[in-house]
Amino acid sequence: MRPLLRPGLLAAVLALAGCAAPSPDGYRGEIAALTAGKTAGVAAALPAPDADTGPLVAELLAQPLDAGAAVRIALLNNPGLRASFATLAISDAERVRAGRAPNPHFALGRFAEGDRLEIERVLSFNVLGLLTLPWRAEWQGRQTELAKLQAAQDVVRLAAETRKAWIRAVAAQQSAGYLRDVRDAAETGAELARRMARVGNWSRLQQAREQAFLADATAQLARAEQARVAARERLTRLLGLWGTQAQYALPERLPDLPAAVVEPTEVEAQALRQRLDVKSAVDESRYVAQSLGYVRATGVINALDLSYTRNTTFDNARGDKEAKRGWEVELPLPLFDWGQAGNARAQGLYLQSVARVQAVAVQARSEAREAYLGWRTAYDLARHYRDEIVPLRRFINDEMVLRYNGMLASVWALLADTRQNVLAVNSALEAQRDFWLADTDLQTTLSGTSPGALPALASSAAAGGEPQGH
Amino acid sequence: MNRRNFFAGAAAGMAATGVSRVALAALPEPAMQAGNATAPPLVPPNGRPYQPVVTLNGWTAPWRMNGGVKEFHLVAEPVVREMAPGFKVNMWGYNGQSPGPTIEVVEGDRVRIFVTNRLPEHTTVHWHGQRLPNGMDGVGGITQPQIPAGKTFVYEFTARRPGTFMYHPHADEMVQMAMGMMGFWVTHPKARHPLIDEVQRDFCFLLNAYDVDPGSMTPRVNTMLDHNIWSWNSRVFPGIDTLNVRHRDKVRIRVGNLTMTNHPIHLHGHEFTVTGTDGGPVPPMARWPEVTTDVAVGQMRQIEFLADEEGDWAIHCHKSHHTMGAMGHDVPTMIGVDHSGLVKKIQKLVPDYMVMGERGMADMGEMPMPLPDNTHPMMAGQGPYGPAEMGGMFTLLKVRREQPPGSYADPGWFRQPAGTQAYEFGGSPPPAASVAAPAQPQAALPSVRKPSGHSGH
C-alpha cells in the first residue's frame, strides 16, 4: 500500500494536475494506428474534427464507387462514427478533469443573535481527494484508453459494415439485372404465345400458362428492384450521404474471385493476438486489478477534509469584536462501514472483468474458427458455381439451342431453359457475393473485433432445378 | 477377346446343356459382318440351286453343309449399327449387325442353326412363320428354356414351305426387338412353283423403329409408339441404299414389319401386286393391283411388278412422320406466327437463336444448322434439285436401261429426257389468294350465350 502522504508525491500530483489537457485531434491519430490494417483492406484516414471532408468525398464519388472508396467515405462522413468520436471527446474531458486537483471550498457564514453578529469563514480542502489524485488520474486515463479501443472498434466495424453494404448493393444491382433478363425471356414467351393463340396455333390454356410465367417473373423482378434499392440505401446511410451525393454510381459487377486464396494459419492465435475487443477486455481487467489497491486504501477512510476556520464575532452592544482561528479535520469513523462493501464491490468488479476476458477469448476463438470455415466454404462454393454449375448450365443451354435447331425442342423450351440458365448465373453471383461478405467477416474477426452474428450461406435451388411448369 | 477362343470356351461349356456330341464337334465358325453396305447376292455354292435375294444394307449368312444338313451359326451380341453416316446406335443384333444376316434356304432343306448368346441376358430365337416341331419354335419358357448368356443352343428343322419369313427373339422380346434383334428368312421353292414367279431382282428389308434421344446412342426400350427413328433394316434415308434395277426387270420386294405400328408401303411410278404374305404365295385370283400396301405389325408382304418405267422412283412408308429423322413431338406449330420484334429480344438472351417454322418446316431441309451430337437430322435427304425434305423409311427404285443384268451398282441420278419434267409457267401468275388467318376468328362467329353461370366466354 502506498503511503498516503509524501511531499514529493504531492508535488508530482500538482504537476500532473497542471499538465492534463484535452487531446487536440480527438485521438484520431492513435486510433488510426490502432486500426491500421483492420479497416476492410483499405488504408483509411480519419479526418480531423474540424476538417472539411466535402471536396475529398466529392472526388471519391466522381467515378463509380469501388469498395475502398466506399470505406474511405464512410470513415470521413459517417454520422455514427462522428458521434463515437464525440463520445471519446467526452471521455477525454473526464480524464482531464480527473487529473486536476480538487478545488478548495470556501464557506462564509453570517449568524446574528440580538446584538451579536458572527461571521464565519471556512476554507476547507479535500485532502483525500488530493492524495488519491494520482490513482484517479491514472484510472481516468485508463478509461480513456478503453474508450479509444472502443472507438477503434467502431472504426473497424464501420469499415466492415460499409464494405459489406457495398458488396450487397453491387450484388443486388447485378441480381436485379439478371431478373430483368428472366422477365424479358418470360415476356418474349408470353408475347409469342399471344401471337400463337391469335392465329389459332395455341389454346387459351397454353397462352395463359406463358402469361402466368410472365406474371411471376414480373413479381420477382419487383422484389429484386426493391432489394436493390434497400441495399443501396443502406450503403448510402453508412456513407452519410444525402441529396445529389446520394446519386453515386456503383460498378456493374463484383470483383472476381481471387485466383488462389492464401490460407490464414493459426486463426485462433491470430484473433487473440490482434483483436481490439480482446485487447480491451484484457486491459480493462488489468486496470481493475490495479484499482483494487486504491479501493483498499480508501476502504476505511474514504473522506478526509481539512478546514481552516476564521470566526469573527461582532458585539454591537459592546462595540467590540473578537476573532477565533482554528482548523479542523473531518473524517468518518469506521464504526459501521469498515469498507468491506467497497472492497467486495471492487473484488466483484475484478472477477467480472476476468470473466469478461474469458468470454471474449472464447468468443474470439470460436468466431475465428466459424469465420474461417465460412470463408473457406464460401470460396469453394463460389468456385463451384463459377467452374461447375455455370459452365454446365451454359452447356445445357447450348445443347438446347442445338435441339431447337433440329426442331426437337420448341422455342418455349429454349426460353424456359434460358431462364434457368440466367437464374444459375444469378446464384453464382450470390455465391460470389457471399464469398466477399465472408472475406470481410474473416478479416474483421481475425484482426478487428467481433463481426456480430456470422451469416449462414444462402441456399439456392435455382441451379439444379428443372424448368418449372413445363 | 479372341472370338475363336471364346467359341471354343462356349463349346466346352455346352457339354452340360445336353446337346449331342455330334453337334458339339461340328459347331461352325460364325460369319461376321463389319460393314453396312448392301452385300451382293450370295449365289449358293452347294446344295439345291436358287435365285438369291439382296438384303438392303445387309447380307446373307453363309452356311456349311454337314451330312446333308445346312448349318448356320447365329451369334446374338451387342453391336453398333451406323444407321446413317455419322449416326451410330448401340444395338443388339446378330453376327456384327442389326438386323442379323438373312438366312436363305430351299424348300425341303434340313437346317441346323447354332445360336450363341453373347448378350448380357438370356434369349431365344423364334422362327417366325415356319412349320417346325413345337420344341424348335423358340418361345422362351414355353417350348424351351431360354438360352442363358454365354451358352449356345441348337435349332434343327426342315424348311417345309417356300416363302418369306423372319426370325426374332421370343425372350424379353419387347427389349430385345427395341434393341434391334431381328433378321430375314427366305425359303426358296425347290422347283418351279405355280404361284411363285421367277424374278430378275429380289430385294428384302425389315421395317424397324427405334427411339434414340437426340445426342444419345442407345434406344429407349420402353417407348411404345412414339419412336423417332423409323428405319428399314436399321438404316435411315439418306443412309439407305437404293433399289437399282434394269429396265423391264421383274422385281420382287419382300417387306417384314417388326415395329409396333403398321406401315403403308408406297411405290411411285408402277403398280404392283401383293404376291405373298406370311402364309405363303397369294393365289392369282386373290391378288390386287396396288400402289400402296399396308404391312401390319408382325406381317410380311411380298410385292412384285415389272420395272417398265425409267427413272428414280420413290418407295416409302406413307405415314409422313415415318419419312422424317429425329424430330421433337412436342414442338408446337409455328406457321403464320408473327415473330417481328421478338427475334432480337430472344437473341439477346440466346445469341444463336434463329426463327424456324414460321413458314413451315421446310427451313429444316434447306438450312442445315448445328444439331446435338449423333443426331440424324429430321430432313436430311438431298436430290439433284435440292432438299428431298425426307429421311427415315424412304429410298428410291432406280430403273435404268443401261443397268447391266445382275448389277446392283447405283447408277446415280436420273436425267429426265427433255420435255418430260415439270417446268415453270411462263405467263403471269394469277393474283395471290389471301390465306392469312382472320385476326379475331371469334368475332366472325355469332354470339352464343351458354345457359350457365359463367360469363366472359
Side-chain angles (χ1 to χ4, degrees), chain A residues 179-201:
Chain A
L179 284 168
R180 203 167 296 121
D181 282 354
V182 169
R183 198 268 321 265
D184 286 352
E187 199 171 67
T188 309
E191 175 56 24
L192 205 51
R194 200 177 61 77
R195 296 182 191 181
M196 289 280 282
R198 194 175 58 193
V199 297
N201 294 17

PDB file of all heavy atoms in Angstrom, chain A residues 179-201:
ATOM      1  N   LEU A 179     -32.574 -10.674 -63.145  1.00  0.00           N
ATOM      2  CA  LEU A 179     -34.011 -10.957 -63.097  1.00  0.00           C
ATOM      3  C   LEU A 179     -34.748 -10.182 -64.177  1.00  0.00           C
ATOM      4  O   LEU A 179     -35.802 -10.614 -64.637  1.00  0.00           O
ATOM      5  CB  LEU A 179     -34.557 -10.665 -61.705  1.00  0.00           C
ATOM      6  CG  LEU A 179     -34.160 -11.775 -60.741  1.00  0.00           C
ATOM      7  CD1 LEU A 179     -34.434 -11.384 -59.309  1.00  0.00           C
ATOM      8  CD2 LEU A 179     -34.884 -13.072 -61.060  1.00  0.00           C
ATOM      9  N   ARG A 180     -34.155  -9.076 -64.612  1.00  0.00           N
ATOM     10  CA  ARG A 180     -34.753  -8.373 -65.742  1.00  0.00           C
ATOM     11  C   ARG A 180     -34.629  -9.257 -66.993  1.00  0.00           C
ATOM     12  O   ARG A 180     -35.555  -9.320 -67.795  1.00  0.00           O
ATOM     13  CB  ARG A 180     -34.053  -7.017 -65.945  1.00  0.00           C
ATOM     14  CG  ARG A 180     -34.919  -6.017 -66.684  1.00  0.00           C
ATOM     15  CD  ARG A 180     -34.337  -4.603 -66.602  1.00  0.00           C
ATOM     16  NE  ARG A 180     -34.306  -4.114 -65.236  1.00  0.00           N
ATOM     17  CZ  ARG A 180     -33.202  -3.725 -64.593  1.00  0.00           C
ATOM     18  NH1 ARG A 180     -32.033  -3.748 -65.198  1.00  0.00           N
ATOM     19  NH2 ARG A 180     -33.254  -3.305 -63.350  1.00  0.00           N
ATOM     20  N   ASP A 181     -33.498  -9.937 -67.134  1.00  0.00           N
ATOM     21  CA  ASP A 181     -33.340 -10.859 -68.272  1.00  0.00           C
ATOM     22  C   ASP A 181     -34.367 -11.988 -68.196  1.00  0.00           C
ATOM     23  O   ASP A 181     -34.921 -12.406 -69.213  1.00  0.00           O
ATOM     24  CB  ASP A 181     -31.930 -11.469 -68.281  1.00  0.00           C
ATOM     25  CG  ASP A 181     -30.906 -10.501 -68.829  1.00  0.00           C
ATOM     26  OD1 ASP A 181     -31.322  -9.416 -69.302  1.00  0.00           O
ATOM     27  OD2 ASP A 181     -29.698 -10.810 -68.776  1.00  0.00           O
ATOM     28  N   VAL A 182     -34.595 -12.495 -66.975  1.00  0.00           N
ATOM     29  CA  VAL A 182     -35.597 -13.556 -66.811  1.00  0.00           C
ATOM     30  C   VAL A 182     -36.968 -13.024 -67.216  1.00  0.00           C
ATOM     31  O   VAL A 182     -37.731 -13.686 -67.927  1.00  0.00           O
ATOM     32  CB  VAL A 182     -35.623 -14.048 -65.345  1.00  0.00           C
ATOM     33  CG1 VAL A 182     -36.824 -14.943 -65.092  1.00  0.00           C
ATOM     34  CG2 VAL A 182     -34.336 -14.789 -65.024  1.00  0.00           C
ATOM     35  N   ARG A 183     -37.264 -11.818 -66.773  1.00  0.00           N
ATOM     36  CA  ARG A 183     -38.549 -11.215 -67.122  1.00  0.00           C
ATOM     37  C   ARG A 183     -38.635 -11.049 -68.638  1.00  0.00           C
ATOM     38  O   ARG A 183     -39.666 -11.322 -69.264  1.00  0.00           O
ATOM     39  CB  ARG A 183     -38.689  -9.865 -66.402  1.00  0.00           C
ATOM     40  CG  ARG A 183     -40.113  -9.333 -66.307  1.00  0.00           C
ATOM     41  CD  ARG A 183     -40.521  -8.421 -67.461  1.00  0.00           C
ATOM     42  NE  ARG A 183     -39.474  -7.535 -67.901  1.00  0.00           N
ATOM     43  CZ  ARG A 183     -39.324  -6.288 -67.486  1.00  0.00           C
ATOM     44  NH1 ARG A 183     -40.154  -5.781 -66.628  1.00  0.00           N
ATOM     45  NH2 ARG A 183     -38.336  -5.545 -67.963  1.00  0.00           N
ATOM     46  N   ASP A 184     -37.531 -10.615 -69.255  1.00  0.00           N
ATOM     47  CA  ASP A 184     -37.543 -10.436 -70.718  1.00  0.00           C
ATOM     48  C   ASP A 184     -37.830 -11.747 -71.422  1.00  0.00           C
ATOM     49  O   ASP A 184     -38.576 -11.786 -72.407  1.00  0.00           O
ATOM     50  CB  ASP A 184     -36.189  -9.878 -71.195  1.00  0.00           C
ATOM     51  CG  ASP A 184     -36.032  -8.419 -70.835  1.00  0.00           C
ATOM     52  OD1 ASP A 184     -37.031  -7.820 -70.369  1.00  0.00           O
ATOM     53  OD2 ASP A 184     -34.924  -7.871 -71.009  1.00  0.00           O
ATOM     54  N   ALA A 185     -37.199 -12.834 -70.923  1.00  0.00           N
ATOM     55  CA  ALA A 185     -37.439 -14.146 -71.545  1.00  0.00           C
ATOM     56  C   ALA A 185     -38.904 -14.524 -71.408  1.00  0.00           C
ATOM     57  O   ALA A 185     -39.539 -14.983 -72.363  1.00  0.00           O
ATOM     58  CB  ALA A 185     -36.552 -15.209 -70.893  1.00  0.00           C
ATOM     59  N   ALA A 186     -39.461 -14.290 -70.210  1.00  0.00           N
ATOM     60  CA  ALA A 186     -40.869 -14.627 -69.991  1.00  0.00           C
ATOM     61  C   ALA A 186     -41.762 -13.741 -70.849  1.00  0.00           C
ATOM     62  O   ALA A 186     -42.773 -14.195 -71.398  1.00  0.00           O
ATOM     63  CB  ALA A 186     -41.215 -14.468 -68.520  1.00  0.00           C
ATOM     64  N   GLU A 187     -41.374 -12.484 -70.973  1.00  0.00           N
ATOM     65  CA  GLU A 187     -42.177 -11.543 -71.753  1.00  0.00           C
ATOM     66  C   GLU A 187     -42.189 -11.967 -73.223  1.00  0.00           C
ATOM     67  O   GLU A 187     -43.226 -11.949 -73.886  1.00  0.00           O
ATOM     68  CB  GLU A 187     -41.567 -10.144 -71.619  1.00  0.00           C
ATOM     69  CG  GLU A 187     -42.474  -9.023 -71.976  1.00  0.00           C
ATOM     70  CD  GLU A 187     -41.822  -7.707 -71.587  1.00  0.00           C
ATOM     71  OE1 GLU A 187     -40.797  -7.343 -72.198  1.00  0.00           O
ATOM     72  OE2 GLU A 187     -42.327  -7.067 -70.666  1.00  0.00           O
ATOM     73  N   THR A 188     -41.012 -12.380 -73.710  1.00  0.00           N
ATOM     74  CA  THR A 188     -40.922 -12.823 -75.098  1.00  0.00           C
ATOM     75  C   THR A 188     -41.788 -14.061 -75.302  1.00  0.00           C
ATOM     76  O   THR A 188     -42.522 -14.154 -76.282  1.00  0.00           O
ATOM     77  CB  THR A 188     -39.452 -13.143 -75.433  1.00  0.00           C
ATOM     78  OG1 THR A 188     -38.659 -12.037 -75.040  1.00  0.00           O
ATOM     79  CG2 THR A 188     -39.290 -13.364 -76.908  1.00  0.00           C
ATOM     80  N   GLY A 189     -41.694 -14.998 -74.361  1.00  0.00           N
ATOM     81  CA  GLY A 189     -42.508 -16.211 -74.456  1.00  0.00           C
ATOM     82  C   GLY A 189     -43.992 -15.879 -74.427  1.00  0.00           C
ATOM     83  O   GLY A 189     -44.781 -16.426 -75.206  1.00  0.00           O
ATOM     84  N   ALA A 190     -44.367 -14.967 -73.555  1.00  0.00           N
ATOM     85  CA  ALA A 190     -45.787 -14.621 -73.429  1.00  0.00           C
ATOM     86  C   ALA A 190     -46.285 -13.914 -74.692  1.00  0.00           C
ATOM     87  O   ALA A 190     -47.401 -14.168 -75.158  1.00  0.00           O
ATOM     88  CB  ALA A 190     -45.999 -13.740 -72.199  1.00  0.00           C
ATOM     89  N   GLU A 191     -45.444 -13.075 -75.248  1.00  0.00           N
ATOM     90  CA  GLU A 191     -45.861 -12.345 -76.447  1.00  0.00           C
ATOM     91  C   GLU A 191     -45.989 -13.318 -77.626  1.00  0.00           C
ATOM     92  O   GLU A 191     -46.958 -13.266 -78.388  1.00  0.00           O
ATOM     93  CB  GLU A 191     -44.839 -11.239 -76.757  1.00  0.00           C
ATOM     94  CG  GLU A 191     -45.074 -10.476 -78.058  1.00  0.00           C
ATOM     95  CD  GLU A 191     -46.461  -9.838 -78.155  1.00  0.00           C
ATOM     96  OE1 GLU A 191     -47.068  -9.585 -77.094  1.00  0.00           O
ATOM     97  OE2 GLU A 191     -46.939  -9.633 -79.283  1.00  0.00           O
ATOM     98  N   LEU A 192     -45.019 -14.232 -77.727  1.00  0.00           N
ATOM     99  CA  LEU A 192     -45.079 -15.225 -78.797  1.00  0.00           C
ATOM    100  C   LEU A 192     -46.325 -16.103 -78.603  1.00  0.00           C
ATOM    101  O   LEU A 192     -47.004 -16.460 -79.567  1.00  0.00           O
ATOM    102  CB  LEU A 192     -43.804 -16.057 -78.773  1.00  0.00           C
ATOM    103  CG  LEU A 192     -43.366 -16.727 -80.071  1.00  0.00           C
ATOM    104  CD1 LEU A 192     -43.326 -15.736 -81.216  1.00  0.00           C
ATOM    105  CD2 LEU A 192     -41.985 -17.355 -79.879  1.00  0.00           C
ATOM    106  N   ALA A 193     -46.618 -16.421 -77.355  1.00  0.00           N
ATOM    107  CA  ALA A 193     -47.796 -17.241 -77.051  1.00  0.00           C
ATOM    108  C   ALA A 193     -49.068 -16.505 -77.460  1.00  0.00           C
ATOM    109  O   ALA A 193     -49.999 -17.097 -78.013  1.00  0.00           O
ATOM    110  CB  ALA A 193     -47.831 -17.562 -75.560  1.00  0.00           C
ATOM    111  N   ARG A 194     -49.091 -15.207 -77.206  1.00  0.00           N
ATOM    112  CA  ARG A 194     -50.264 -14.412 -77.584  1.00  0.00           C
ATOM    113  C   ARG A 194     -50.453 -14.468 -79.096  1.00  0.00           C
ATOM    114  O   ARG A 194     -51.556 -14.651 -79.606  1.00  0.00           O
ATOM    115  CB  ARG A 194     -50.060 -12.966 -77.115  1.00  0.00           C
ATOM    116  CG  ARG A 194     -51.335 -12.160 -76.992  1.00  0.00           C
ATOM    117  CD  ARG A 194     -51.028 -10.767 -76.459  1.00  0.00           C
ATOM    118  NE  ARG A 194     -50.132 -10.012 -77.354  1.00  0.00           N
ATOM    119  CZ  ARG A 194     -50.522  -9.447 -78.484  1.00  0.00           C
ATOM    120  NH1 ARG A 194     -51.766  -9.505 -78.862  1.00  0.00           N
ATOM    121  NH2 ARG A 194     -49.649  -8.809 -79.250  1.00  0.00           N
ATOM    122  N   ARG A 195     -49.334 -14.349 -79.815  1.00  0.00           N
ATOM    123  CA  ARG A 195     -49.427 -14.379 -81.279  1.00  0.00           C
ATOM    124  C   ARG A 195     -49.807 -15.777 -81.772  1.00  0.00           C
ATOM    125  O   ARG A 195     -50.505 -15.912 -82.766  1.00  0.00           O
ATOM    126  CB  ARG A 195     -48.096 -13.939 -81.889  1.00  0.00           C
ATOM    127  CG  ARG A 195     -47.778 -12.486 -81.548  1.00  0.00           C
ATOM    128  CD  ARG A 195     -46.496 -12.050 -82.203  1.00  0.00           C
ATOM    129  NE  ARG A 195     -46.057 -10.758 -81.674  1.00  0.00           N
ATOM    130  CZ  ARG A 195     -44.969 -10.131 -82.098  1.00  0.00           C
ATOM    131  NH1 ARG A 195     -44.220 -10.655 -83.044  1.00  0.00           N
ATOM    132  NH2 ARG A 195     -44.625  -8.961 -81.566  1.00  0.00           N
ATOM    133  N   MET A 196     -49.303 -16.814 -81.062  1.00  0.00           N
ATOM    134  CA  MET A 196     -49.674 -18.190 -81.409  1.00  0.00           C
ATOM    135  C   MET A 196     -51.184 -18.361 -81.268  1.00  0.00           C
ATOM    136  O   MET A 196     -51.840 -18.948 -82.132  1.00  0.00           O
ATOM    137  CB  MET A 196     -48.997 -19.179 -80.465  1.00  0.00           C
ATOM    138  CG  MET A 196     -47.515 -19.326 -80.658  1.00  0.00           C
ATOM    139  SD  MET A 196     -47.095 -20.391 -82.021  1.00  0.00           S
ATOM    140  CE  MET A 196     -47.359 -21.998 -81.291  1.00  0.00           C
ATOM    141  N   ALA A 197     -51.721 -17.873 -80.155  1.00  0.00           N
ATOM    142  CA  ALA A 197     -53.154 -18.034 -79.907  1.00  0.00           C
ATOM    143  C   ALA A 197     -53.948 -17.218 -80.925  1.00  0.00           C
ATOM    144  O   ALA A 197     -55.008 -17.658 -81.388  1.00  0.00           O
ATOM    145  CB  ALA A 197     -53.484 -17.593 -78.477  1.00  0.00           C
ATOM    146  N   ARG A 198     -53.426 -16.062 -81.310  1.00  0.00           N
ATOM    147  CA  ARG A 198     -54.167 -15.183 -82.219  1.00  0.00           C
ATOM    148  C   ARG A 198     -54.368 -15.849 -83.572  1.00  0.00           C
ATOM    149  O   ARG A 198     -55.405 -15.713 -84.184  1.00  0.00           O
ATOM    150  CB  ARG A 198     -53.430 -13.848 -82.364  1.00  0.00           C
ATOM    151  CG  ARG A 198     -54.280 -12.777 -83.005  1.00  0.00           C
ATOM    152  CD  ARG A 198     -53.570 -11.447 -83.036  1.00  0.00           C
ATOM    153  NE  ARG A 198     -52.298 -11.559 -83.758  1.00  0.00           N
ATOM    154  CZ  ARG A 198     -51.357 -10.624 -83.733  1.00  0.00           C
ATOM    155  NH1 ARG A 198     -51.512  -9.543 -83.015  1.00  0.00           N
ATOM    156  NH2 ARG A 198     -50.240 -10.790 -84.412  1.00  0.00           N
ATOM    157  N   VAL A 199     -53.338 -16.574 -84.068  1.00  0.00           N
ATOM    158  CA  VAL A 199     -53.501 -17.215 -85.376  1.00  0.00           C
ATOM    159  C   VAL A 199     -54.050 -18.635 -85.242  1.00  0.00           C
ATOM    160  O   VAL A 199     -54.142 -19.347 -86.232  1.00  0.00           O
ATOM    161  CB  VAL A 199     -52.183 -17.226 -86.179  1.00  0.00           C
ATOM    162  CG1 VAL A 199     -51.737 -15.807 -86.468  1.00  0.00           C
ATOM    163  CG2 VAL A 199     -51.108 -18.001 -85.450  1.00  0.00           C
ATOM    164  N   GLY A 200     -54.411 -19.023 -84.024  1.00  0.00           N
ATOM    165  CA  GLY A 200     -55.096 -20.301 -83.861  1.00  0.00           C
ATOM    166  C   GLY A 200     -54.185 -21.500 -83.639  1.00  0.00           C
ATOM    167  O   GLY A 200     -54.645 -22.633 -83.688  1.00  0.00           O
ATOM    168  N   ASN A 201     -52.877 -21.267 -83.388  1.00  0.00           N
ATOM    169  CA  ASN A 201     -51.982 -22.415 -83.205  1.00  0.00           C
ATOM    170  C   ASN A 201     -51.960 -22.910 -81.765  1.00  0.00           C
ATOM    171  O   ASN A 201     -51.474 -24.005 -81.506  1.00  0.00           O
ATOM    172  CB  ASN A 201     -50.549 -22.043 -83.599  1.00  0.00           C
ATOM    173  CG  ASN A 201     -50.424 -21.752 -85.068  1.00  0.00           C
ATOM    174  OD1 ASN A 201     -51.419 -21.524 -85.736  1.00  0.00           O
ATOM    175  ND2 ASN A 201     -49.215 -21.754 -85.582  1.00  0.00           N
TER     176      ASN A 201
END
